[in-house]
Amino acid sequence: MTDVTGTVDRSPVVRISADVTADRGDRVYAAARDATDSVPIVRTGPTGSRKLEPLVLATDGGRTAFFYSASPSDARELATELESGTFPASHADAIVEHDPDTLSLPVPETGPLSVGHRRVLGPCGWIDPLEPADYALCSTEQQDVSVAAETGLLARGRGDAAADKPAVDAWTTARDTEGDPIVVVNAHETDDRQQTDRTLLAGAPIAVLDGVAAVASFVGAKDAVIYLNERETALQQHVRQAVDAAEDALPVVPDIVVGPDEYRAGAPTAALEAMEGADRIEPRLQPPTPAKYGLYGRPTVVHTPRTVAQVQRAIRSPLSFDADAPDPGTRLVTITGDVDAPAIVELDAGTELAVARDAVAMDGSFKMACVGGVFGGITTELDLALTAQSLTAAGLGTDGVVELLNDDRCVVATAGKRARFASQENSGRCVPGREGTKQLTELLRELYQGTFRGDDIRELGRVMARSSNCQIGEYAPRPVVTAIDEFEPEFRVHADGQCPSGTCTTQL
Ligand code: SF4
């Protein structure tokens, strides 16, 4: 049982789940509050399934009624019903029976919330994100953080300096390097395809802070920083409130620093440059890794919120991690693209990508997926395990984004836009990144002028992957190269002046 100030101890209770920036969520919350003096109304964070928001949850003991896309008048009506002692079952979209003390969102048997398991995502949408008493925290229970090191957890996300490698290696290096270690949580992302980190920070920020404290404890750091986008003012304020609320419970209280809204500012070492106030944001040359020489030269562990949330989960529930698995724990995936609404699902890493599709409805027929973010790989096959190893072997990205694209999409235009984005967004620091992205864009322009040089594109991709200074240059050719692997005939007919999708009316 949690502290009496926690949401979970209240019954009956109405929860309003929506993103922190959602005005509609605020209006529904205000309407429910106006309707009742006696039933507590709690504003929770997002669940990750945007099409259900604002989601209203009416709970009485171990029973919760779900109301999807609720209006202020819906919220007013059901708060009044609950106040009068009537459980609003008759018009609910779903009703779920559950443990009355659960700290994890109970999920209906059907619909987007039923896909996968809600472990790291569990509190999102259910608890009051700013109420420490709603969390089971490692810090307050003084749990042994070293168990996380034994789980074999791989770090997650493009903003993580140890992405797809055992997180413990970076911790050990930072701990054993001379200097004053620090932990950075890199939540900077300008690509709206990727929503998992901001959802965790909106829905369960104190769990992320608890994970930060655990990593800090392992490496012996007394300082930590949460690094966010400049434009995300509401999220900045929300995280600040979470830090203030949890200050007494946490052994390490992070500072919040924002960086410019540029894609490259989310790369781990570019993030360090931005935090140091550099005028020009460029990824650093490596080695040394940030774990040896990071923020202001200090040994620095740079993780994403996804990674530290998994660390927190690993300490709370080590048995849910199989240290012998190639990629222990779960993977969070944002499903986006030509879909009714983006959704975040949490799946065991061994699950096939295709399962994630059940969380969304596609607009039109499936043609292809881009897996791994803007510089992910294009594929028509979704029968692949979500592990970092399986995705990498298939030439796809591991950044937790599956973009489903319908048959109105032109594969050449889709890949070409990403090449052009890379040529505009790279820092210019290294030749393969700077000149390679220009050449790649030029090779695709030539296609529209009648020349398809597939082998040259592949060779350029190999050189960039091998010699770029950072992952932006390394992965920039991936959409084009994988698209050619799957759709070479479409590239060839473009050189003949035809676009099978009928969408290419202009050049890149
Ligand atoms: S690959 Fe691109 S972004 Fe990375 S250092 Fe080189 S030029 Fe800069």
Side-chain angles (χ1 to χ4, degrees):
M1 202 72 166
T2 56
D3 189 279
V4 288
T5 58
T7 307
V8 175
D9 277 350
R10 304 184 195 178
S11 180
V13 59
V14 174
R15 295 170 168 89
I16 316 291
S17 160
D19 190 23
V20 288
T21 56
D23 290 345
R24 260 187 88 207
D26 292 338
R27 285 201 296 279
V28 169
Y29 173 65
R33 284 190 63 131
D34 285 349
T36 173
D37 291 327
S38 60
V39 177
I41 310 294
V42 178
R43 178 77 157 85
T44 67
T47 60
S49 285
R50 209 183 289 169
K51 86 170 165 190
L52 307 182
E53 294 177 2
L55 168 65
V56 178
L57 305 162
T59 301
D60 194 357
R63 194 160 55 139
T64 292
F66 286 61
F67 300 86
Y68 302 148
S69 306
S71 66
S73 63
D74 294 334
R76 208 174 292 123
E77 193 183 320
L78 64 94
T80 310
E81 275 184 80
L82 213 51
E83 185 171 48
S84 68
T86 307
F87 185 71
S90 60
H91 47 291
D93 291 296
I95 295 176
V96 181
E97 307 277 340
H98 55 85
D99 171 3
D101 296 334
T102 183
L103 294 173
S104 187
L105 178 80
V107 290
E109 283 178 9
T110 58
L113 293 173
S114 68
V115 177
H117 313 281
R118 296 184 71 88
R119 290 181 182 144
V120 171
L121 274 182
C124 296
W126 183 247
I127 61 157
D128 177 348
L130 303 177
E131 173 52 75
D134 272 8
Y135 293 82
L137 297 178
C138 314
S139 302
T140 45
E141 293 173 20
Q142 301 194 330
Q143 287 183 297
D144 179 10
V145 299
S146 65
V147 295
E150 287 152 22
T151 57
L153 175 72
L154 306 184
R156 283 144 161 78
R158 80 167 183 105
D160 198 303
D164 300 333
K165 300 190 188 87
V168 67
D169 291 355
W171 307 349
T172 309
T173 304
R175 187 189 61 191
D176 296 347
T177 299
E178 200 172 320
D180 185 12
I182 181 166
V183 178
V184 168
V185 176
N186 182 6
H188 185 292
E189 183 53 89
T190 56
D191 184 0
D192 290 336
R193 295 170 182 85
Q194 173 55 269
Q195 289 290 323
T196 52
D197 287 327
R198 77 176 307 291
T199 298
L200 287 172
L201 283 177
I206 296 176
V208 173
L209 299 176
D210 196 35
V212 173
V215 176
S217 155
F218 189 95
V219 303
K222 295 188 183 61
D223 301 315
V225 177
I226 313 275
Y227 173 63
L228 296 162
N229 293 43
E230 209 160 26
R231 68 180 181 192
E232 293 260 28
T233 50
L235 187 64
Q236 290 161 27
Q237 190 189 2
H238 184 72
V239 175
R240 214 163 266 131
Q241 286 174 322
V243 170
D244 291 345
E247 199 170 358
D248 292 341
L250 295 172
V252 174
V253 181
D255 291 327
I256 294 168
V257 179
V258 300
D261 296 321
E262 296 166 17
Y263 181 78
R264 64 177 178 275
T269 59
L272 299 176
E273 292 288 303
M275 281 184 270
E276 290 181 8
D279 290 337
R280 226 180 121 72
I281 307 300
E282 294 179 336
R284 292 179 181 172
L285 295 173
Q286 292 188 65
T289 63
K292 278 187 176 292
Y293 188 92
L295 193 62
Y296 298 107
R298 298 167 67 177
T300 305
V301 175
V302 184
H303 281 325
T304 56
R306 268 169 285 173
T307 304
V308 288
Q310 291 280 355
V311 171
Q312 203 253 2
R313 169 86 194 164
I315 297 167
R316 297 282 320 155
S317 182
L319 293 180
S320 60
F321 284 73
D322 175 3
D324 295 327
D327 188 349
T330 55
R331 287 254 163 195
L332 300 185
V333 183
T334 310
I335 315 295
T336 186
D338 299 322
V339 298
D340 55 349
I344 296 171
V345 294
E346 180 171 2
L347 300 169
D348 286 327
T351 309
E352 287 188 359
L353 273 179
V355 172
R357 275 180 66 174
D358 296 340
V360 293
M362 265 204 87
D363 298 330
S365 302
F366 174 75
K367 174 175 181 175
M368 59 191 165
C370 187
V371 178
V374 63
F375 300 134
I378 288 178
T379 182
T380 54
E381 306 293 332
L382 294 178
D383 56 351
L384 284 166
L386 257 176
T387 59
Q389 297 86 347
S390 155
L391 295 175
T392 304
L396 308 178
T398 59
D399 193 26
V401 178
V402 177
E403 206 179 343
L404 303 175
L405 301 171
N406 67 24
D407 55 10
D408 289 338
R409 299 279 189 159
C410 169
V411 68
V412 177
T414 300
K417 275 185 199 147
R418 289 160 205 248
R420 192 178 52 187
F421 177 74
S423 73
Q424 292 163 345
E425 292 292 319
N426 76 87
S427 71
R429 175 158 200 171
C430 71
V431 174
R434 185 181 63 237
E435 298 305 320
T437 51
K438 271 191 215 150
Q439 285 172 26
L440 191 65
T441 309
E442 204 43 53
L443 282 164
L444 287 163
R445 279 208 185 101
E446 282 181 17
L447 185 63
Y448 289 91
Q449 290 152 6
T451 309
F452 173 52
R453 293 163 57 190
D455 288 343
D456 292 345
I457 292 173
R458 287 192 177 98
E459 178 54 22
L460 176 62
R462 274 191 287 272
V463 171
M464 290 172 69
R466 212 171 36 232
S467 53
S468 292
N469 175 48
C470 82
Q471 291 192 342
I472 295 176
E474 181 182 350
Y475 295 141
R478 188 161 55 188
V480 182
V481 171
T482 50
I484 293 174
D485 288 346
E486 294 255 0
F487 292 96
E488 187 161 338
E490 274 204 38
F491 280 76
R492 292 197 179 281
V493 294
H494 276 76
D496 296 334
Q498 296 164 39
C499 171
S501 311
T503 53
C504 293
T505 51
T506 54
Q507 294 182 6
L508 277 174

